Every structure is written in C-alpha cells, then in structure tokens.
Amino acid sequence: MGRYLLRRLGQMVFVLLGATLILFACLFVIPGDPVGSLGGSERARDPAVVKQLREQYGLDKPLIVQYGTYVGKLVQGDMGEDYTQRRQVSEILMPKLVNTSKLAVAAMAIDVLLGAAVGTLAALKRYSFLDTVVTLVTTLLVGFPTFVIGMLMLNLFAVQLKWVPVIGDPSDPVQLILPSVTLAIIDAALVARLMRGTMLEVLRADYVKTAIAKGVPKRQVLLKHVMRNSVIPVVTYIGISFGGLMGGAIITETIFNWDGVGMAMSTAIQQQNNPIVVAVATWTVAIFVLLNLLVDLLYAMLDPRIRLS
C-alpha cells in the first residue's frame, strides 16, 4: 500500500507539470496583451510603461524561461502576483477557495445521497410508477444545461417568490441551497440512472439469488451484497465527475454571484489575468488527481478482491 501511494503521488507530480505546461503555453501564445490594458487605454498607453510591466512580470522572457520561473516559485508556495490588483494570487484565491469548497461539498453530498437513494428506490420498484417517474425526470434533467437550470431557479426562487436574495452570500447557509442544487442536480440524475442500472444487474447475479434461496434476510442481502457491489461504478463516476463539477462551478457561481474560484476564473479569463487562471487550473488538477487516488483506495475497501500494488 505504501509503495502504491508513493507511486501515485509521484505520478501526480508529472500530471501537474504536464497540465500546467499545456495551460501555460496556451495562455501565453493566444492573441492579446495580458498587461497592455494596465498601461492605460490604447491611445494613451505609454510604451515605456508597458515595457516596464512586461519586465516586472517576466513576460519579455522566452516561454520556457517563464514556465521554469513559475514552477520554481510554485514549489515554494508562490503562485505569482495578480495583474489587476497587484496582490499575491494565493492571498486573493484562498478565501474564494473556502467559499467554493462549501459549494462543492454540498453539491457532492446532494449527488451521492439524492442520486443513490433515488436510484436504489427505482431499482427496488422496477417498472412501477415511481420507476417510470424517476426514469423520465432524470432523462429530462440530463438534457438541460447547467446555466438553464440555474437561471430558472434564480428567477423562480429569488425574483418571483423572493425566498432568497439575488446575490449569494457564502456566509449564509440558507443561500447555499440554490447554487448547490443547481450544481449537483445533473450529476445526481446521472448517479441515479447509474445506480439503478448497476443495482438491477447485481440483483440478477447468482450469488444474490443463492443468498435469498438460503433464507438470508432480504435486508441483509440488500446491504451486504447488493448495495456494496452496486456502488463501485457510482464511486468511479463521482471521482471522474469532479472535473465537470468544477466546470459547472464557473457557470453556477457567475449566475448566483457566488464569490468563489469559479467566478474568479470567469473574470480572470475575460481580463487575461493569467496568474489567476493558471493558479485555479493547477489547484483543480491537483484536487482531481487526489480525488481519483481516494476513489482507487475506496475500491479496495468496497471489494476485497481488488489489490493495490
């Protein structure tokens, strides 16, 4: 187990280096001038000021030198300086990361609890009215984009019913409900469909029929054999879906004015504020890799036949 963890953590370093290099290259070769607007409007822009800003941020150096400098600072915990606020990126993003973490944890809880519960009920009540409703609703939800669901919920609950303010306040737990449901609802529908399908397959397995034939209580068969084997594909999906969750967070936080890293990312992309974009992407990749490592460890706990070596 120890060697496995070390190998995976070593792979994580290469994944982070590769992801940041690709992103770094894409951001710094696309058209536009990241610091040009800082020197004033186009007509009033002083070339000397722009040159000074380029030298200050190291943008006058070759791309590979810029990347090497970035990695060197990153190892020391320095993620660079924001172009617009002239503050350290980590100082700006840390409070926003806390706000986004609240949103992500709430969304993941809804994904898992609501999706697994609905999928389990639909599988146990196969071909019933409940199963038909679950299949219909989850199919419709999967077809809706996140921004449409967010706009509909914002208009209904904030504008029409006035149950919550239009501007989200991360310090108020009540105002966490709408953005977290918006962020989670599509993945919850997918988890429900996945849970229903895998559970029906497990219910038809020979070892389940044998356990029932031997007189093992139905509740014990359900919890010990059916649920345990049904959740493995769901755990895999939840680990993979984090990337989509982060993409959805950018849209959801923008719609609900939620002061998180998603909204910071959206604003930074519009302003070509590259240090913020690279920092958010680096954090996202690191969390994604760690979550997938956690998923692999959960496999061994859920299925003793799986060996990590």
Side-chain angles (χ1 to χ4, degrees):
M1 177 69 82
R3 293 179 62 185
Y4 175 79
L5 284 175
L6 287 176
R7 191 171 73 241
R8 288 296 301 270
L9 291 174
Q11 291 172 354
M12 177 181 167
V13 174
F14 287 103
V15 170
L16 281 175
L17 287 174
T20 51
L21 178 59
I22 293 171
L23 183 66
F24 205 82
C26 291
L27 288 175
F28 285 85
V29 298
I30 59 175
D33 188 354
V35 297
S37 59
L38 300 178
S41 62
E42 189 172 354
R43 290 185 177 180
R45 189 176 302 164
D46 186 348
V49 174
V50 174
K51 182 183 177 184
Q52 182 184 357
L53 288 170
R54 288 182 178 282
E55 291 174 354
Q56 178 182 341
Y57 292 111
L59 298 177
D60 56 332
K61 295 182 174 60
L63 177 64
I64 191 66
V65 175
Q66 293 182 42
Y67 180 69
T69 304
Y70 174 77
V71 173
K73 290 182 177 179
L74 185 63
V75 172
Q76 302 172 32
D78 182 0
M79 307 195 82
E81 185 180 276
D82 175 273
Y83 288 164
T84 56
Q85 301 181 42
R86 312 287 178 87
R87 294 166 55 202
Q88 287 296 308
V89 169
S90 55
E91 181 186 333
I92 295 172
L93 289 183
M94 197 54 72
K96 299 179 186 297
L97 182 64
V98 173
N99 294 337
T100 297
S101 298
K102 295 178 185 174
L103 193 60
V105 169
M108 292 294 281
I110 294 172
D111 273 3
V112 175
L113 298 179
L114 181 64
V118 170
T120 300
L121 286 175
L124 294 177
K125 304 289 184 182
R126 187 184 181 189
Y127 300 142
S128 65
F129 176 73
L130 174 65
D131 184 26
T132 305
V133 171
V134 169
T135 303
L136 181 62
V137 172
T138 53
T139 303
L140 286 173
L141 286 175
V142 170
F144 274 86
T146 302
F147 76 90
V148 173
I149 296 174
M151 293 301 291
L152 289 174
M153 294 184 71
L154 187 67
N155 182 57
L156 177 62
F157 295 105
V159 178
Q160 302 294 332
L161 299 176
K162 300 186 185 304
W163 287 358
V164 293
V166 176
I167 298 177
D169 180 4
S171 63
D172 185 356
V174 175
Q175 295 185 35
L176 185 64
I177 297 173
L178 283 187
S180 59
V181 170
T182 300
L183 187 58
I185 197 69
I186 295 177
D187 275 338
L190 289 169
V191 169
R193 291 176 67 85
L194 186 60
M195 189 72 189
R196 177 186 179 276
T198 54
M199 199 163 183
L200 288 176
E201 187 177 338
V202 174
L203 284 169
R204 290 193 293 265
D206 290 339
Y207 62 88
V208 173
K209 294 178 180 176
T210 302
I212 294 173
K214 285 183 175 179
V216 178
K218 189 175 180 180
R219 186 174 181 178
Q220 186 176 343
V221 173
L222 184 65
L223 294 177
K224 189 174 180 181
H225 299 289
V226 179
M227 290 293 290
R228 189 167 185 171
N229 289 288
S230 299
V231 297
I232 293 177
V234 176
V235 170
T236 305
Y237 173 77
I238 291 171
I240 296 172
S241 69
F242 177 77
L245 195 72
M246 190 59 214
I250 296 175
I251 299 170
T252 304
E253 290 182 359
T254 304
I255 292 173
F256 290 95
N257 284 310
W258 190 265
D259 188 20
V261 292
M263 195 161 75
M265 181 80 155
S266 173
T267 306
I269 290 172
Q270 296 172 37
Q271 297 173 339
Q272 281 196 290
N273 196 351
N274 294 344
I276 295 286
V277 177
V278 175
V280 173
T282 304
W283 283 1
T284 304
V285 172
I287 295 172
F288 182 78
V289 174
L290 286 174
L291 277 180
N292 276 274
L293 174 60
L294 181 63
V295 167
D296 288 346
L297 297 177
L298 281 175
Y299 284 160
M301 295 174 60
L302 293 169
D303 189 348
R305 295 171 299 178
I306 298 175
R307 293 285 180 269
L308 301 177
S309 61

